[in-house]
Amino acid sequence: MAALPIGLTYWDVGRLVTIVCLPLLLSCCYVTTFLVCLSVIYVAFYLYRKSTIKRIPVSRQGVLITGCDTGFGHEFAKRLDSLGFTVFAGCLSDQSDGAKNLKTSKTGRLHVLGLNITKDDEVLKAVTYVTKIHEKTGCGLWALVNNAGLNMLGDIELCTMEMFYKISEVNMYGMVRVTKAFLPLIRKSKGRILNTTSVKGRLCLPKNAAYVITKFGGEAFSDVLRLEMLKFGVRVIVIEPGNFGGATGMLNEQSNLARLTPYLPESWMDYLVDRTFASGKQ
Ligand SMILES: *[C@@H]1O[C@H](CO)[C@@H](O)[C@H](O)[C@H]1NC(C)=O
Ligand SMILES: CC(=O)N[C@H]1CO[C@H](CO)[C@@H](O)[C@@H]1O
């Protein structure tokens, strides 16, 4: 057999190339086959999901959302309004900029309610209002979105008891109060309860204990409620947003700093060089 200048025959070269390239070729083939199968399965699954999703007729569905002054609640109220739902937008103050903005809706289906969820009487007033609209229009309450929430940052030692109480009062007991008040209406419509918790309902992060404990509480509350509501056909859903502090304006660095400064003990000063103790960055 003809020899190459490097001392190998063409046969040797052919064998070498085969040994090196064949597995590569085959593995390419496997990868391609795998990817094609995966895509086929994905498309099939997507089409199946699409064909089985039940569309909800929205025209007679009422949705009450808490915390619509800003952030998620505000945007959600607008979105549902544009989709045709009857929206009850609870705002901490019905004179806030967000509330005024929502009142400009021309659909006639968006109701702005002053709703401080830490107050029994305001929650009861909201129930009465929603019931009245229900009797007038036949539009029941189909979903409750517990969205209102409050956050303040700070190491545990630096947070006052008032901060702990205040956050729990809104995030946890506010949610319990609103849920309890609207459950009879939701059970009647076999609707759903959506509760905005947070990624911090699963993860413990430093500088945020006052908030994290309320979100763990919210997860636990929702899990229990879900089991209790099974028999009524009511679904309970938690939404766990990630890092949206900036987008929702929930974490305002300046106000955190201002709030904590009076409480800083001398012994902490050395640890606060970068000031991250009170910033939105974690
Ligand atoms: C909401 O109610 C609490 C008392 O339950 C009160 O301390 C707080 O100031 C109220 N918030 C507003 C904006 O009215
Ligand atoms: C504590 C918790 O995670 N609860 C959520 C459910 O709704 C409440 C109040 O409406 C919100 O504060 C929370 O986001």
Side-chain angles (χ1 to χ4, degrees):
M1 190 161 293
L4 292 168
I6 47 172
L8 293 173
T9 62
Y10 282 114
W11 173 237
D12 290 332
V13 174
R15 256 196 329 187
L16 262 178
V17 170
T18 314
I19 288 167
V20 174
C21 294
L22 198 64
L24 269 181
L25 266 174
L26 278 178
S27 70
C28 270
C29 206
Y30 286 144
V31 171
T32 317
T33 315
F34 179 70
L35 287 179
V36 169
C37 286
L38 209 62
S39 315
V40 170
I41 292 172
Y42 179 79
V43 171
F45 186 68
Y46 172 79
L47 291 176
Y48 172 75
R49 280 290 302 269
K50 212 174 152 193
S51 68
T52 54
I53 278 178
K54 264 208 312 231
R55 297 260 163 213
I56 298 155
V58 297
S59 64
R60 299 192 98 61
Q61 312 284 13
V63 178
L64 185 127
I65 309 168
T66 64
C68 292
D69 306 77
T70 54
F72 290 143
H74 187 78
E75 298 305 323
F76 197 38
K78 283 181 169 172
R79 170 87 179 131
L80 291 190
D81 184 36
S82 73
L83 287 177
F85 285 92
T86 297
V87 179
F88 301 98
C91 293
L92 182 56
S93 156
D94 61 358
Q95 293 309 311
S96 68
D97 289 349
K100 284 182 189 155
N101 177 297
L102 291 176
K103 281 179 190 165
T104 60
S105 163
K106 299 268 183 300
T107 62
R109 293 184 304 258
L110 198 153
H111 307 259
V112 177
L113 318 177
L115 180 55
N116 182 337
I117 61 171
T118 66
K119 289 187 167 157
D120 285 334
D121 57 331
E122 293 201 13
V123 173
L124 281 182
K125 239 167 53 193
V127 174
T128 311
Y129 182 86
V130 172
T131 310
K132 215 171 66 199
I133 297 287
H134 175 37
E135 280 160 5
K136 218 160 68 186
T137 63
C139 159
L141 187 68
W142 174 73
L144 165 63
V145 184
N146 280 313
N147 163 75
L150 182 67
N151 193 358
M152 297 178 200
L153 294 174
D155 284 81
I156 292 171
E157 195 187 329
L158 303 181
C159 288
T160 58
M161 281 315 291
E162 281 64 39
M163 285 165 70
F164 276 95
Y165 287 137
K166 196 170 169 190
I167 298 176
S168 295
E169 199 49 57
V170 177
N171 292 10
M172 220 160 55
Y173 298 116
M175 169 196 60
V176 174
R177 180 177 291 107
V178 173
T179 306
K180 276 171 65 64
F182 284 99
L183 269 180
L185 290 174
I186 296 282
R187 278 195 292 107
K188 206 153 121 195
S189 67
K190 290 195 189 309
R192 52 187 61 188
I193 296 168
L194 280 83
N195 210 16
T196 316
T197 63
S198 165
V199 64
K200 290 177 189 170
R202 287 168 178 264
L203 296 173
C204 296
L205 297 176
K207 298 179 269 178
N208 214 182
Y211 180 80
V212 167
I213 57 175
T214 66
K215 292 301 175 179
F216 269 70
E219 297 269 328
F221 176 77
S222 304
D223 286 352
V224 174
L225 185 64
R226 184 176 304 117
L227 295 171
E228 291 182 358
M229 287 295 116
L230 265 178
K231 53 183 173 289
F232 297 109
V234 170
R235 294 180 62 198
V236 177
I237 298 148
V238 286
I239 305 167
E240 298 165 326
N243 189 8
F244 284 91
T248 57
M250 211 183 203
L251 296 174
N252 177 326
E253 184 158 352
Q254 214 44 45
S255 67
N256 274 301
L257 258 175
R259 189 179 43 247
L260 284 177
T261 308
Y263 306 110
L264 294 181
E266 202 52 40
S267 56
W268 271 80
M269 287 309 170
D270 285 350
Y271 299 94
L272 305 178
V273 188
D274 60 358
R275 295 280 186 173
T276 56
F277 72 98
S279 81
K281 297 175 211 85
Q282 304 244 346

